Amino acid sequence: NNLPFLSPGNDSRANLRLLLADKKAAPLAPKALSEDDLSQGFGPVPFPVYRLAAASSAETEPDSDDSPTAELDTLLTSLGVKREEYKTAGEAFLSGEGSRCRSNDDDSATAFIRQVVKADIPATERALLAKARLQLLTTCTWDGPVI
């Protein structure tokens, strides 16, 4: 059924986009339904989440310097922080599997670190914030280490 509900498993970017559109804060312009979508029974609602997403960074060339990992590494280097672990906790989920950890990836860490670099705070605090955000990339359990 199409009854909407929020739970930690579906508290996602798609829901955020829908809530922002409802408040008229950000327009919602889903991609058109494909023949494959229609054959799977999708209509305007429910819809596959990819219809709300812009072209993903996964569509860039693997050797391209435009990857989120390359940008994150560049930002971290400017802060004097070295990334030790490149595997993120969100990678443990299957494609399409709902979890709050799905968005805990290089893209979200890059957006955070970009703001840290711009922030008017001492360099030591910038480095501490960057290190803490890197630790979050590898954590996705309630019983994980306290950061």
Side-chain angles (χ1 to χ4, degrees):
N1 72 37
N2 291 339
L3 182 64
F5 71 97
L6 286 177
S7 74
N10 79 351
D11 188 9
S12 64
R13 289 180 182 182
N15 283 330
L16 177 60
R17 291 283 310 276
L18 292 170
L19 290 168
L20 289 171
D22 187 52
K23 293 290 185 185
K24 310 274 189 276
L28 189 64
K31 297 175 187 172
L33 287 165
S34 68
E35 290 297 321
D36 191 42
D37 294 332
L38 295 171
S39 71
Q40 292 181 32
F42 287 113
V45 175
F47 52 86
V49 72
Y50 81 85
R51 287 188 57 219
L52 291 181
S56 75
S57 59
E59 294 172 8
T60 61
E61 296 177 26
D63 294 336
S64 170
D65 283 345
D66 294 338
S67 74
T69 301
E71 183 181 357
L72 181 56
D73 285 345
T74 301
L75 291 167
L76 291 170
T77 300
S78 74
L79 296 171
V81 175
K82 173 130 176 62
R83 186 173 179 182
E84 302 295 329
E85 178 63 51
Y86 281 85
K87 185 171 181 174
T88 64
E91 293 174 21
F93 296 93
L94 298 173
S95 178
E97 185 177 5
S99 168
R100 63 183 172 77
C101 298
R102 293 287 294 175
S103 62
N104 185 18
D105 57 12
D106 284 1
D107 286 329
S108 62
T110 300
F112 180 85
I113 302 298
R114 225 183 271 129
Q115 296 306 310
V116 167
V117 168
K118 292 184 207 175
D120 185 24
I121 57 176
T124 54
E125 288 184 31
R126 280 193 200 111
L128 287 172
L129 285 168
K131 288 175 185 175
R133 184 60 182 91
L134 286 179
Q135 285 181 302
L136 287 175
L137 278 175
T138 60
T139 304
C140 192
T141 62
W142 292 109
D143 57 346
V146 176
I147 298 174

